[in-house]
Amino acid sequence: MHNIHRNAPWRVPTILWNRTTIGQRSLATTFIFYYILRIMVILIMIEMDFLKKYKKIYISGIAGSGTSALAGFLFENGIKVVGSDTGNLDMLPDLEIKVYNIQEESNIDDSIDLLIYSSAVLENNPERIRAKNFGIPEMTYFQAVGEISENFYTIAISGTNGKTTTTSISSILLSNTTLDPNVIVGAKVLELDNKNYKKGTSNILIVEACEYMEHFLYLNPNVLTITNIEAEHLDYYKNLENVILAFEKMINKLPDGGVVVYNKDDENIRKLIKKISQKRHDLTFISFGINEDSDFIAQFSDTKDGVQIFEIYYNREFLAEFRLSIPGKFNIYNTLTSIATCFTISKMHKLRHNILDWQYKILNFRGSHRRFEIIKKDIKKDIIYVLDYAHHPTSINQVIIGAKRMYDSRRIFVIFQPHTFNRTKNLFSDFIKCFDYADFCFISDIYEPSGRDLKTKNIVSSKELVKSIKKRNPKLKIKYSGNLIKTAKKMKKNLKNKDLVLILGAGDIFTLDID
């Protein structure tokens, strides 16, 4: 009978086999068995739960907003974590994690099972070179979180703006229930023990899903929540159409029975859902917004004593009144998004939602790190300093309006550090319109993170931006303030009693000297 495997590459040719001695055959058999065993181990490792696969993981660039959360999450799941970072270590959890402040080859040894690196750590980094020499497998932060998500019922919170706050509130609403979630989020959350991660007791993982360079496509979600879609990260996407296409790919990654929770007030999302729902009949689509035809509707009621009051309706029936202590219509949206997501998940898992508990948690939510975070109160001069991550024109405008609405008796003094030359250039026409509600404004030099495209450096400047803003709105008091040292000095000279100082940006603006 003809043997179809006769010439297979793993077979020892018969003529050579016949000429070998018994000892040589035994040795050859041993080698063949060894390689088969190695292949079997590799296949088992591929299928194994990420959290059981590795005993020691090294994270290069461990202090980033995402990598620091991953470090804590891995550590609390029993994995030995070591890492390095040359920057600020404030985001790192207070755990027994050894961190080198210099990235060099000697940090890496052959006891490491996996090296995870941040997007700022390039291929020529000495740690990555050493890892390659040792044969240590490597993956990006996003690839690692993607693998982890395969072993959980994963809820991915995505969108141009509001991801961090929505992830934070969603995590808090489900905490201390039978659906107590695992969490990986891009900022420290006071209610999560001031950490940016959480080891839960259920098989649910809530993760902030970043769309930059389509990184979120590494995730394997069961539920996808979309806050909004706007033109952003145009250094990669080039235009809004490509941004929308990335979200289309993300939705299509959902398995049969997957759920999309989406903002029906957002025109880009609305059109996308209409298109996909005609093909993906296996998915469930849950909408939220302020429009009457959404599944979940929020209706703003009032603001009293610094608290926003709004009502939420589900399927046109009154659900509850909620009170929120952080300002801005956008935060009502973020809260509504979280409620729509958690209500849906609870219903699917047959968990009776405790509305009273949710009302209490939302009222007492103080925001995430760098999300309208009050970092100082000068009692003598009655000045409040607020730090916020806003760096997209829409979010900047919303934060300023929200602050003005909640603190209407104060002068709104804005200090903004633009984040990347490419974003400033591509969204220039939007940036010149987003400061209209500020009473006084400084714009510092543009911040460019390491690891980004250096070709775009200096294609635009803060001076140009200030000049264009003044041309459009001559009444707005806005000035270019230079680097952060000069900005701090100018800020102190221009402060007035009862000011609300909004310090905005995604770069190192948090290091601004306000003392």
Side-chain angles (χ1 to χ4, degrees):
M1 191 165 92
H2 181 65
N3 187 348
I4 60 171
H5 298 299
R6 185 176 58 189
N7 296 318
W10 59 80
R11 285 183 61 85
V12 179
T14 304
I15 190 169
L16 291 177
W17 184 262
N18 291 337
R19 290 178 181 177
T20 57
T21 66
I22 294 173
Q24 288 172 324
R25 289 180 189 179
S26 177
L27 184 62
T29 303
T30 301
F31 274 117
I32 292 168
F33 177 77
Y34 170 73
Y35 282 111
I36 290 173
L37 187 62
R38 283 199 67 180
I39 291 168
M40 288 175 67
V41 169
I42 291 169
L43 290 173
I44 291 169
M45 290 282 282
I46 289 170
E47 293 299 320
M48 192 186 293
D49 184 331
F50 184 98
L51 298 176
K52 296 176 182 175
K53 191 187 300 185
Y54 305 106
K55 293 182 179 179
K56 184 177 180 181
I57 293 177
Y58 191 97
I59 303 181
S60 187
I62 196 171
S65 59
T67 49
S68 59
L70 180 60
F73 183 75
L74 294 175
F75 181 89
E76 292 204 11
N77 275 280
I79 296 172
K80 184 174 181 180
V81 178
V82 186
S84 65
D85 208 294
T86 57
N88 188 294
L89 303 181
D90 287 350
M91 287 294 290
L92 277 171
D94 186 18
L95 299 170
E96 293 179 9
I97 296 175
K98 184 175 179 58
V99 179
Y100 298 97
N101 58 12
I102 299 174
Q103 293 184 330
E104 53 190 4
E105 286 190 11
S106 60
N107 298 343
I108 306 298
D109 60 51
D110 59 4
S111 69
I112 295 165
D113 300 314
L114 174 69
L115 184 141
I116 296 172
Y117 58 93
S118 75
S119 54
V121 178
L122 304 179
E123 197 171 5
N124 61 358
N125 181 279
E127 293 180 338
R128 291 189 61 189
I129 292 171
R130 179 82 161 185
K132 282 185 177 70
N133 292 339
F134 274 125
I136 298 169
E138 299 178 63
M139 62 177 67
T140 66
Y141 158 77
F142 302 100
Q143 289 171 326
V145 176
E147 277 205 28
I148 290 169
S149 71
E150 290 181 5
N151 301 113
F152 289 90
Y153 185 89
T154 298
I155 303 164
I157 310 292
S158 68
T160 305
N161 301 305
K163 294 185 291 291
T164 300
T165 301
T166 302
T167 305
S168 302
I169 297 175
S170 299
S171 303
I172 293 164
L173 294 183
L174 291 182
S175 288
N176 301 316
T177 70
T178 55
L179 300 181
D180 185 62
N182 299 273
V183 181
I184 297 177
V185 61
K188 289 183 176 181
V189 183
L190 189 64
E191 291 83 358
L192 298 181
D193 297 328
N194 202 31
K195 297 185 295 189
N196 52 355
Y197 70 94
K198 179 178 184 289
K199 183 181 185 298
T201 58
S202 74
N203 73 325
I204 287 176
L205 171 67
I206 302 178
V207 60
E208 182 174 337
C210 177
E211 76 277 12
Y212 182 57
M213 295 183 73
E214 299 186 322
H215 284 146
F216 60 1
L217 294 181
Y218 285 111
L219 294 171
N220 299 280
N222 302 87
V223 178
L224 177 65
T225 297
I226 312 175
T227 60
N228 45 54
I229 300 177
E230 293 188 59
E232 172 65 310
H233 303 304
L234 298 183
D235 54 327
Y236 174 78
Y237 287 111
K238 307 306 179 189
N239 55 55
L240 175 61
E241 287 70 28
N242 287 331
V243 178
I244 296 170
L245 181 60
F247 279 90
E248 182 176 353
K249 292 178 188 175
M250 188 62 175
I251 294 172
N252 280 322
K253 279 205 72 177
L254 289 167
D256 287 358
V259 179
V260 183
V261 182
Y262 69 97
N263 181 357
K264 202 168 185 179
D265 292 345
D266 186 295
E267 185 180 2
N268 295 321
I269 300 176
R270 198 165 58 244
K271 289 179 179 177
L272 178 59
I273 296 300
K274 185 179 179 180
K275 174 184 175 183
I276 293 177
S277 61
Q278 292 173 351
K279 299 177 182 177
R280 292 294 306 269
H281 301 293
D282 57 304
L283 299 179
T284 299
F285 298 91
I286 305 293
S287 62
F288 63 87
I290 59 172
N291 295 326
E292 294 297 324
D293 59 348
S294 296
D295 297 312
F296 289 86
I297 301 167
Q299 291 184 355
F300 177 76
S301 177
D302 198 2
T303 300
K304 289 181 180 178
D305 302 320
V307 173
Q308 298 192 88
I309 304 169
F310 57 98
E311 297 174 343
I312 289 186
Y313 294 80
Y314 172 58
N315 286 341
R316 299 183 181 274
E317 291 187 5
F318 177 75
L319 183 65
E321 177 185 272
F322 289 90
R323 295 173 178 239
L324 184 66
S325 301
I326 51 176
K329 182 181 178 182
F330 63 99
N331 275 320
I332 292 178
Y333 262 111
N334 293 335
T335 307
L336 173 63
T337 311
S338 303
I339 290 170
T341 301
C342 293
F343 190 98
T344 302
I345 300 306
S346 299
K347 193 174 179 181
M348 289 175 62
H349 288 78
K350 298 180 181 178
L351 172 68
R352 187 174 179 181
H353 37 271
N354 188 336
I355 295 298
L356 283 174
D357 182 53
W358 288 9
Q359 288 171 319
Y360 176 81
K361 287 175 175 176
I362 288 168
L363 174 63
N364 289 281
F365 178 65
R366 293 292 177 263
S368 311
H369 178 56
R370 293 181 72 176
R371 271 69 178 180
F372 213 88
E373 179 186 8
I374 296 176
I375 54 173
K376 182 184 176 183
K377 288 184 178 181
D378 185 331
I379 305 299
K380 187 177 179 180
K381 296 180 180 178
D382 193 17
I383 298 173
I384 300 173
Y385 296 82
V386 174
L387 182 64
D388 197 281
Y389 197 71
H391 56 283
H392 185 278
T394 300
S395 56
I396 292 167
N397 182 56
Q398 289 175 341
V399 168
I400 295 171
I401 291 173
K404 201 158 187 77
R405 185 176 183 177
M406 186 166 279
Y407 297 93
D408 57 356
S409 64
R410 295 179 180 271
R411 184 177 75 144
I412 307 299
F413 187 152
V414 175
I415 300 170
F416 173 60
Q417 180 192 54
H419 188 264
T420 79
F421 291 95
N422 212 305
R423 178 184 285 108
T424 308
K425 181 72 173 179
N426 286 323
L427 302 179
F428 195 86
S429 60
D430 295 316
F431 274 115
I432 65 174
K433 296 180 284 189
C434 68
F435 298 96
D436 285 354
Y437 290 93
D439 297 306
F440 193 89
C441 189
F442 278 142
I443 296 185
S444 72
D445 289 329
I446 297 169
Y447 177 86
E448 187 71 21
S450 59
R452 295 290 177 97
D453 187 2
L454 295 178
K455 294 176 185 177
T456 63
K457 193 170 183 179
N458 300 321
I459 58 173
V460 69
S461 71
S462 291
K463 283 183 179 179
E464 292 174 59
L465 180 58
V466 169
K467 186 178 178 181
S468 296
I469 292 171
K470 283 182 175 179
K471 184 178 179 181
R472 177 186 167 275
N473 186 357
K475 292 182 180 180
L476 180 60
K477 294 177 182 177
I478 187 164
K479 296 179 181 179
Y480 164 69
S481 58
N483 61 35
L484 294 187
I485 295 173
K486 292 178 180 178
T487 299
K489 290 178 180 177
K490 291 177 181 178
M491 174 195 72
K492 290 168 186 176
K493 285 181 180 178
N494 287 273
L495 279 172
K496 293 181 180 179
N497 290 355
K498 296 196 72 173
D499 273 353
L500 178 77
V501 183
L502 281 179
I503 303 168
L504 308 179
D508 60 358
I509 186 72
F510 66 92
T511 64
L512 185 75
D513 180 14
I514 60 174
D515 294 322

